[in-house]
Amino acid sequence: MRTDQDGTRLPAGSDAASVRAAVDAVLGRYLDARGREAGELDPDFGRDLVGGLRDFTLGAGKRLRPLLGWWGWIAGGGAPRGPTAEAALRACAALELLQTFALVHDDVMDGSPLRRGTASVHAAYTAEHRAGSYAGEDRRYGEAMAVLTGDLALAWADDLLDGALADLPTRAGARRVWSRVRTEVMAGQFLDLRGQARRERSESGALRADRLKTAAYTAERPLHLGAAMAAAPEPAVRALRSYGQDVGVAFQLRDDLRDAYGAPERTGKQPGEDLARGRNTLLLAVGQRLARERGDATAARVLGGVGAETDPTDPALAARVLDALGARELVLRRCRELSARGLAHLAALPLDPDVMEGLRSLAEAAARP
């Protein structure tokens, strides 16, 4: 890695490994500094809650969003070194704290016991409550601590971004992108939760939630943020965003398939969580449509019980029925179509070879089950 004037280590190149290492270095320095401040307020707060936030953020994540932010910066004409590059890297690193916020809160809302192969934040705090024989309700304590963790991650993401953008002349445009992505992820989560509560089975509704909850903040807006910081020309911004929309949705559809059919050691979560909750996924909505079109009353009855409050369908049975109907293959085909379309948006852009290879690999990964 290269070291810039203020000590920030910049990526040696635009390959994924170099960028991820540089992002980790930025996050480590930032969270260590904020942790010391927190410890001055209260030692337990700094050690326990902030320490947990740091461990989660710097844990097993892929740093996908900061990586795409940096690629958007380079693709938009941003310098790979110098003061503006250092500022852009710090702004991109803020996306990982946004990811921490989203995952921690998402696990609370979904009641997910696992994240990245280990206990989710709220589950770990619930276990702490039980082990310590604390007063009050263990689940409520765990969820409250997780909400605090997510809130702090979002606040510090804003702080990190604002500090970085202060050194860039494109601050206003980049801040507008950041404002959009924060609202979009909330809108997507709203649609997801309400669709689940209403037991909606809508293909268009599932795709709308996927677009806002996943595609926007996973791929489209990180690329957009990088390009906005670099003052990229509009055709480049449009191409990068279009790629991000298509590949981001493909990633969510692939994750839906892995939730139903993947192994826990691969996904880091318990299988069948979406089906157990009755989440309105494209996989489930397509399956119910196919059952109706074919007049398959048995399949329709099985899928109609997904997520029911009384006598719900076993997720493993629902997954087998969806596979037999062809819903699994149709969703995988949609992933492949979106991946190919996403790459087509980049055809006219003169991209750095490392960036092009990274975006191609990402699109190909989104098309694999």
Side-chain angles (χ1 to χ4, degrees):
M1 288 187 191
R2 294 183 296 270
T3 302
D4 203 51
Q5 295 175 351
D6 76 342
T8 296
R9 293 184 296 171
L10 290 167
S14 292
D15 60 288
S18 294
V19 178
R20 285 171 178 145
V23 167
D24 277 352
V26 169
L27 288 169
R29 289 176 59 196
Y30 181 75
L31 290 173
D32 284 346
R34 298 308 299 261
R36 288 191 292 271
E37 293 175 9
E40 291 173 0
L41 295 174
D42 181 84
D44 288 349
F45 172 61
R47 181 185 62 249
D48 298 339
L49 193 131
V50 175
L53 187 159
R54 185 189 191 282
D55 291 345
F56 184 94
T57 302
L58 294 176
K62 300 173 184 176
R63 313 293 180 264
L64 176 60
R65 291 151 190 84
L67 177 61
L68 287 170
W70 182 258
W71 284 345
W73 165 259
I74 296 297
R81 60 178 62 90
T84 58
E86 186 275 333
L89 181 66
R90 286 189 285 125
C92 292
L95 289 162
E96 192 65 21
L97 282 169
L98 182 66
Q99 166 76 336
T100 293
F101 147 75
L103 292 182
V104 171
H105 280 196
D106 190 55
D107 286 342
V108 171
M109 287 182 270
D110 291 345
S112 299
L114 293 176
R115 172 63 66 179
R116 296 170 176 169
T118 189
S120 56
V121 171
H122 71 91
Y125 275 116
T126 299
E128 174 196 294
H129 185 285
R130 292 171 184 160
S133 299
Y134 296 171
E137 184 183 347
D138 55 5
R139 176 181 171 182
R140 187 172 180 83
Y141 174 85
E143 291 178 347
M145 286 294 186
V147 168
L148 282 176
T149 300
D151 287 350
L152 188 61
L154 181 58
W156 284 359
D158 279 345
D159 290 349
L160 180 55
L161 181 94
D162 281 341
L165 294 184
D167 296 328
L168 288 175
T170 50
R171 171 185 172 85
R175 201 64 178 79
R176 283 194 294 272
V177 177
W178 180 262
S179 178
R180 290 286 299 178
V181 70
R182 289 186 311 167
T183 303
E184 286 165 347
V185 72
M186 306 290 185
Q189 188 72 321
F190 165 79
L191 291 173
D192 196 28
L193 289 169
R194 192 175 68 172
Q196 179 180 318
R198 293 181 174 180
R199 304 195 69 211
E200 293 176 2
R201 299 294 181 260
S202 162
E203 294 174 47
S204 62
L207 288 170
R208 186 183 310 113
D210 291 345
R211 160 76 176 79
L212 291 169
K213 182 181 176 183
T214 302
Y217 107 102
T218 297
E220 178 195 353
R221 295 301 184 185
L223 286 164
H224 190 189
L225 177 66
M229 290 190 294
E234 184 55 35
V237 172
R238 191 162 50 246
L240 290 168
R241 288 187 59 190
S242 296
Y243 165 92
Q245 289 174 16
D246 288 337
V247 173
V249 171
F251 259 110
Q252 181 58 60
L253 298 182
R254 186 200 69 169
D255 285 353
D256 293 346
L257 291 173
R258 289 186 173 183
D259 177 86
Y261 303 102
E265 59 270 19
R266 184 180 185 187
T267 64
K269 301 186 72 175
Q270 291 182 332
E273 285 190 4
D274 288 344
L275 290 169
R277 297 195 310 268
R279 181 170 165 261
N280 182 36
T281 63
L282 184 67
L283 176 66
L284 183 55
V286 164
Q288 290 202 313
R289 173 173 59 79
L290 291 174
R292 289 194 304 271
E293 290 174 351
R294 297 173 186 179
D296 191 332
T298 300
R301 185 177 65 254
V302 169
L303 297 182
V306 169
E309 292 187 21
T310 58
D311 194 23
T313 296
D314 178 70
L317 173 59
R320 291 194 297 271
V321 169
L322 289 166
D323 193 15
L325 285 167
R328 180 182 184 180
E329 180 57 35
L330 282 177
V331 172
L332 180 56
R333 190 184 308 163
R334 177 69 70 90
C335 289
R336 292 169 178 155
E337 292 169 352
L338 287 167
S339 172
R341 193 170 74 184
L343 282 173
H345 292 305
L346 305 180
L349 293 185
L351 294 176
D352 172 277
D354 283 341
V355 172
M356 186 64 236
E357 177 57 30
L359 293 175
R360 181 183 294 109
S361 295
L362 196 65
E364 290 171 352
R368 289 194 295 270

